[in-house]
């Protein structure tokens, strides 16, 4: 548990240092008496993800979520400030002498967001006609009440970025009954925290979805899948993030997920990006955390079959910085999953970088493609031609709805990107890769969400994806996490 400290603790330490610099006795004058010399012009991506995850854990509606980001931007430009007006501190510039908590608590973004959100929920419930900015003013009681709604556009942009980062899912297997065909799952991530599954028949996802667990993965957590005990059935895994860093697992028995158990008590806290995959090639899926910040560390905890082993170990010290899209996949076909990052810049800087697993670490990063998954496209990783090596796929998810692929040679992703489908995944839909018919080749899957909640599949031929067909007509509602 000493491998690294949370963002909140680091900032709190800086705050104590700042207070000491002006000679204030710690016991007599609490931190937060310093006025900020300036507020950063840009947001802290880690703070925005933490704020988003905490708000999601309370199942807030869009108005309350937007008000949270409006307040964070107006008060601190979404930075955890160790200073402020009078006694104000932190992301939301809350005052310790006005009942918001101790200075140390306020400097914890998880605590501070919780305090804001719980009050905002009450304000919205009592005043249903309020705008997001008016909800913010109801909580903050600012002398400048109009500024929150004025920040709506910026807040929406930051909110969307945080939601995208939180929802990063490069791909994970979903064969929950062990029949060789990938199935589909949805996590409601609301107060009920149900998990539903619909198993594949090879030509459709079986009829009415069935509840496989009645309390797993609440809002703000990262839900994933993987065969963590090596029995051939994919299990469900959830990362609590926040200040607990807990990881819970519910094993599949082939027809349901058993009672959850805690498999790790400190992994992927705060804003880190979590993933599941077999990085040492022992047949059991492990867990991986990308710090996704300036240090860009990558940590691993290996599965023993009944837990994830002890203190997480650093397997790479610089891979996938903030703004990039990290993923796992066995790109060279050696049975060990490697780490992949899509830089997602413009056409001149949309690289795909790979660091191969040695079984005890990840090697030197190498560029495997120099133009793939540009901007806001949604990249995924899977073996689409059935050669045992994972390939890369990107969905434009716009009105063009194109799908491009680059297949792995074992040392690179082959040349110019090729269009494998010309109409799949519209705006607002969620795409995934999975071997839905069990032929060894990953297929396209899309959850339409919205008003239809359909699932469409386009099967892989090995060189392209066939026309899409509907495999389920009501699964994976808007707001749910689908895999």
């Amino acid at each position: 548990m000493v491998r690294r400290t949370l963002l909140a603790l680091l900032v709190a330490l800086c705050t104590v240092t700042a207070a000491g610099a002006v000679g204030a006795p710690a016991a007599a004058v609490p931190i937060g008496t310093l006025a900020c010399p300036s507020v950063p012009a840009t947001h802290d991506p880690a703070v925005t993800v933490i704020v988003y995850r905490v708000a999601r854990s309370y199942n807030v509606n869009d108005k309350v979520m937007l008000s949270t980001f409006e307040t964070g931007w107006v008060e601190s430009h979404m930075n955890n400030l160790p200073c402020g007006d009078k006694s104000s501190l932190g992301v939301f510039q809350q005052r310790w002498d006005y009942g918001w908590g101790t200075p140390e608590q306020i400097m914890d973004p998880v605590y501070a967001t919780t305090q804001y959100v719980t009050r905002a929920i009450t304000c919205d419930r009592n005043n249903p006609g309020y705008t997001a900015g008016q909800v913010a003013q109801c909580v903050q009681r600012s002398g400048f009440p109009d500024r929150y709604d004025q920040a709506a556009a910026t807040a929406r942009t930051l909110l969307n970025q945080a939601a995208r980062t939180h929802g990063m899912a490069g791909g994970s297997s979903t064969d929950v009954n062990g029949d060789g065909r990938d199935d589909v799952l949805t996590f409601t991530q609301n107060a009920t925290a149900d998990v539903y599954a619909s198993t594949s028949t090879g030509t459709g996802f079986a009829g009415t979805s069935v509840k496989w667990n009645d309390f797993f993965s609440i809002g703000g957590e990262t839900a994933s899948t993987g065969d963590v005990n090596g029995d051939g059935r994919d299990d469900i895994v959830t990362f609590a993030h926040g200040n607990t860093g807990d990881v819970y697992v519910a094993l599949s028995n082939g027809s349901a997920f058993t009672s959850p158990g805690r498999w790790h008590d400190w992994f992927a806290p705060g804003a880190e990006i979590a993933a599941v995959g077999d990085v040492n090639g022992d047949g059991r899926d492990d867990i991986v955390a990308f710090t996704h910040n300036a240090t860009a560390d990558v940590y691993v905890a290996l599965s023993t079959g009944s837990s994830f082993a002890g203190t997480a170990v650093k397997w790479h010290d610089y891979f996938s910085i903030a703004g990039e899209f990290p993923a796992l996949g066995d790109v060279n076909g050696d049975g060990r999953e490697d780490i992949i990052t899509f830089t997602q810049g413009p056409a001149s800087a949309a690289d795909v970088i790979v660091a191969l697993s040695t079984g005890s670490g990840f090697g030197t990063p190498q560029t495997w493609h120099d133009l793939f998954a540009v901007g806001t496209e949604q990249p995924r990783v899977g073996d689409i031609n059935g050669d045992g090596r994972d390939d890369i796929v990107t969905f434009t998810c716009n009105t063009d709805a194109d799908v491009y692929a680059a297949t792995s040679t074992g040392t690179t992703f082959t040349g110019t990107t090729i269009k494998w489908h010309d109409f799949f995944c519209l705006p607002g839909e969620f795409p995934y890769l999975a071997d839905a018919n069990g032929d060894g080749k990953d297929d396209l899957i899309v959850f339409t969400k919205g008003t239809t909640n359909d699932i469409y599949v386009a099967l892989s031929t090995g060189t392209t994806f066939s026309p899409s067909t509907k495999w389920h007509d009501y699964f994976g509602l808007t707001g749910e996490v689908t895999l």
Side-chain angles (χ1 to χ4, degrees):
M1 296 187 189
V2 296
R3 69 178 176 89
R4 54 207 152 120
T5 7
L6 283 172
L7 170 67
L9 295 179
L10 284 171
V11 179
L13 178 60
C14 293
T15 304
V16 172
T17 303
V22 296
V29 182
I31 59 176
T33 57
L34 288 176
C36 293
S38 63
V39 174
T42 58
H43 69 287
D44 182 338
V47 168
T48 61
V49 173
I50 291 171
V51 169
Y52 177 81
R53 284 175 172 168
V54 173
R56 280 273 289 128
S57 73
Y58 283 88
N59 302 307
V60 300
N61 60 30
D62 182 69
K63 185 200 302 181
V64 170
M65 180 69 84
L66 181 60
S67 85
T68 306
F69 275 75
E70 287 179 355
T71 302
W73 176 254
V74 167
E75 301 293 353
S76 68
H77 281 186
M78 276 295 193
N79 290 273
N80 197 25
L81 300 178
C83 50
D85 179 52
K86 299 177 182 176
S87 59
S88 300
L89 289 171
V91 181
F92 302 99
Q93 289 291 280
Q94 294 158 341
R95 294 183 63 173
W96 58 266
D97 54 349
Y98 274 58
W100 284 92
T102 67
E104 291 77 14
Q105 287 174 323
I106 294 170
M107 285 301 298
D108 174 358
V110 174
Y111 173 90
T113 306
T114 299
Q115 294 302 305
Y116 177 87
V117 165
T118 52
R119 288 165 169 79
I121 290 171
T122 300
C123 283
D124 178 53
R125 183 172 59 243
N126 294 341
N127 304 278
Y130 274 11
T131 65
Q134 288 171 324
V135 170
Q137 173 62 14
C138 176
V139 175
Q140 297 294 101
R141 301 182 183 278
S142 169
F144 304 93
D146 297 331
R147 57 185 181 164
Y148 300 111
D149 273 328
Q150 292 169 358
T154 300
R156 177 65 69 184
T157 298
L158 296 177
L159 165 56
N160 290 341
Q161 290 173 356
R164 176 178 169 80
T165 300
H166 169 70
M168 283 179 173
S172 62
S173 55
T174 55
D175 180 9
V176 297
N177 61 357
D179 66 355
R181 297 186 295 257
D182 280 332
D183 313 301
V184 288
L185 300 174
T186 189
F187 301 79
T188 63
Q189 288 211 326
N190 53 19
T192 63
D194 292 324
V195 183
Y196 290 89
S198 184
T199 55
S200 173
T201 66
T203 56
F205 294 117
T208 304
S209 56
V210 179
K211 187 187 295 186
W212 276 46
N213 195 284
D214 62 3
F215 197 82
F216 191 88
S217 192
I218 62 173
E221 297 185 357
T222 295
S224 190
T225 55
D227 182 9
V228 298
N229 62 348
D231 67 353
R233 296 187 294 259
D234 284 315
D235 314 298
I236 50 175
V237 182
T238 192
F239 300 84
H241 300 299
N243 287 347
T244 66
D246 289 329
V247 183
Y248 288 89
V249 168
L251 298 174
S252 172
N253 62 21
S255 58
F257 297 116
T258 58
S259 296
R262 185 166 62 182
W263 277 43
H264 206 291
D265 62 2
W266 185 249
F267 197 86
E272 296 184 4
I273 307 299
V276 179
D278 182 8
V279 297
N280 65 347
D282 66 355
R284 296 186 296 258
D285 282 337
D286 314 299
I287 52 176
V288 178
F290 300 85
T291 61
H292 214 233
N293 55 16
T295 64
D297 293 324
V298 182
Y299 291 90
V300 168
L302 300 174
S303 173
T304 66
S306 57
S307 68
F308 296 117
T311 304
V313 179
K314 188 188 292 188
W315 275 41
H316 206 290
D317 61 4
Y318 196 78
F319 194 88
S320 195
I321 60 174
E324 297 183 357
F325 192 116
L328 299 179
D330 181 10
V331 298
N332 62 349
D334 65 356
R336 298 186 295 258
E337 295 209 37
D338 313 299
I339 50 175
I340 304 146
T341 191
F342 301 84
T343 62
Q344 296 238 268
S348 59
D351 295 328
V352 184
I353 299 169
V354 169
L356 299 175
S357 172
T358 65
S360 57
F362 296 115
T364 303
Q366 302 288 337
T367 300
W368 277 42
H369 204 292
D370 60 4
L371 180 57
F372 197 86
V374 176
T376 60
E377 293 181 7
Q378 297 196 44
R380 300 290 186 264
V381 179
D383 182 8
I384 59 175
N385 61 357
D387 65 356
R389 296 186 294 258
D390 280 339
D391 313 301
I392 52 175
V393 175
T394 188
F395 300 81
T396 62
C397 288
N398 55 16
T399 53
D400 295 328
D402 291 325
V403 182
Y404 292 90
T407 55
S408 173
T409 66
T411 56
T412 188
F413 296 117
T414 50
T416 304
T417 305
I418 300 171
K419 188 187 293 187
W420 275 47
H421 205 290
D422 62 2
F423 197 79
F424 198 88
C425 188
L426 294 169
E429 298 181 350
F430 182 79
Y432 216 61
L433 297 181
D435 183 8
N437 63 349
D439 67 353
K441 298 185 289 282
D442 280 334
D443 312 301
L444 303 182
I445 297 179
V446 71
F447 301 85
T448 63
K449 309 280 184 152
T451 58
T452 61
N453 303 299
D454 293 325
I455 302 177
Y456 285 88
V457 172
L459 298 175
S460 173
T461 67
T463 56
T464 190
F465 294 113
S466 301
S468 60
T469 57
K470 187 188 293 187
W471 276 42
H472 204 292
D473 62 2
Y474 195 78
F475 191 90
L477 308 185
T478 299
E480 297 183 356
V481 173
T482 46
L483 300 174

